[in-house]
Amino acid sequence: MEAIKSLNGLTSDALDVGQVLRIPTAQSGPSYTEYTVRPGDSLWQIARRYGTTVEAIKSLNGLKSDLLSIGQVLRIPAR
C-alpha cells in the first residue's frame, strides 16, 4: 500500500471514484525520474522538457498549487 501511495503522490488512504493509479511491479524500476527545482523553473517548463503534463507532475507529487521552491525534489512521470 505504501508503494502505491508513494508512486501516486498520495498522502492519505482515501481514493476518488474514477481516480487512475499507477501500480508498481516487481520487474520494473521506478516509473519516474527525480528532478531538483532550479531558479526560474516552472511546472510548465519542466513538463515540456520531460514530455509530460503539469497535471501529471502535480498528481505524482501530491501538489495542490503550481508554486515550486528552489531545491524541491519532484518526481517526473516516466514516458
Side-chain angles (χ1 to χ4, degrees):
M1 186 166 70
E2 291 305 315
I4 293 171
K5 286 172 62 175
S6 175
L7 184 60
N8 290 280
L10 301 174
T11 56
S12 77
D13 294 342
L15 298 175
D16 295 320
V17 173
Q19 182 175 357
V20 176
L21 296 175
R22 291 179 179 84
I23 306 297
T25 62
Q27 298 100 351
S28 67
S31 62
Y32 61 86
T33 299
E34 289 190 345
Y35 177 81
T36 303
V37 176
R38 296 179 283 194
D41 279 342
S42 70
L43 283 174
W44 182 84
Q45 291 168 323
I46 296 168
R48 186 170 173 199
R49 185 178 307 140
Y50 285 91
T52 188
T53 65
V54 169
E55 285 307 314
I57 295 172
K58 287 174 71 172
S59 175
L60 184 57
N61 290 278
L63 301 176
K64 303 293 183 213
S65 75
D66 291 350
L67 297 177
L68 299 175
S69 301
I70 296 169
Q72 179 178 1
V73 178
L74 296 174
R75 291 175 289 175
I76 310 299
R79 293 185 213 186

